[in-house]
Amino acid sequence: MRQALVFVLLLVVFHLAVTPGPGRPWASTWNDFASRSTAAAAALLTAPWDVRRPDPTVLATADGRIALDVHRGCEGLDLAGIYAAGVLASPAALRSWAWGLALGLPALAIVNVLRVIALLGVAVVAPGLFHAAHAWAAQLVMILVTL
């Protein structure tokens, strides 16, 4: 019971930390940084495909036909918060928590960048499948990776 309570309390804290709102100006800063970092990493990895960044959070094909905006919710902060809450709520030693966070959070960020790249690929190759890939498949993959 104690672990569940700690988990829920940490979820609330992490949610408030990354959700913009009155009195929480840092949340917008966190979101902007995470969105720009995710878009930059995806652009770097897709450089051979001639992907452009017309805006710090937007990835677009060279012909401008397809553009993805990596915005709030797409940057992976919510899932990172869920993962961190799970790690910190577990009855483990401080060293285990540190290793869990040090290895897990970057792994989530990497998988999220790969998710953005995959979604860009789907948008280019099969635009009609983009919504299903974005709303269902990619979300499911990220949730499973987080667990």
Side-chain angles (χ1 to χ4, degrees):
M1 181 67 177
R2 179 187 172 281
Q3 293 168 329
L5 182 60
V6 169
F7 177 73
V8 170
L9 289 174
L10 287 171
L11 277 180
V12 169
V13 168
F14 290 139
H15 179 72
L16 290 174
V18 300
T19 303
R24 295 192 304 270
W26 65 85
S28 293
T29 303
W30 266 113
N31 284 288
D32 289 345
F33 174 76
S35 295
R36 290 170 187 247
S37 299
T38 301
L44 182 65
L45 293 173
T46 57
W49 301 338
D50 201 21
V51 171
R52 309 286 166 87
R53 286 182 64 204
D55 184 80
T57 63
V58 175
L59 298 171
T61 56
D63 61 6
R65 192 173 54 94
I66 304 291
L68 295 183
D69 185 7
V70 181
H71 61 275
R72 168 91 181 93
C74 298
E75 79 293 274
L77 286 177
D78 292 325
L79 290 175
I82 292 169
Y83 175 79
V87 169
L88 296 174
S90 68
L94 182 61
R95 184 180 197 141
S96 296
W97 284 351
W99 277 108
L101 295 173
L103 297 175
L105 292 174
L108 278 174
I110 290 167
V111 171
N112 191 52
V113 168
L114 296 175
R115 177 186 73 93
V116 170
I117 293 170
L119 288 171
L120 181 62
V122 169
V124 169
V125 175
L129 296 176
F130 177 79
H131 178 71
H134 179 257
W136 297 100
Q139 298 295 343
L140 179 62
V141 167
M142 289 305 295
I143 289 168
L144 292 175
V145 168
T146 302
L147 296 176

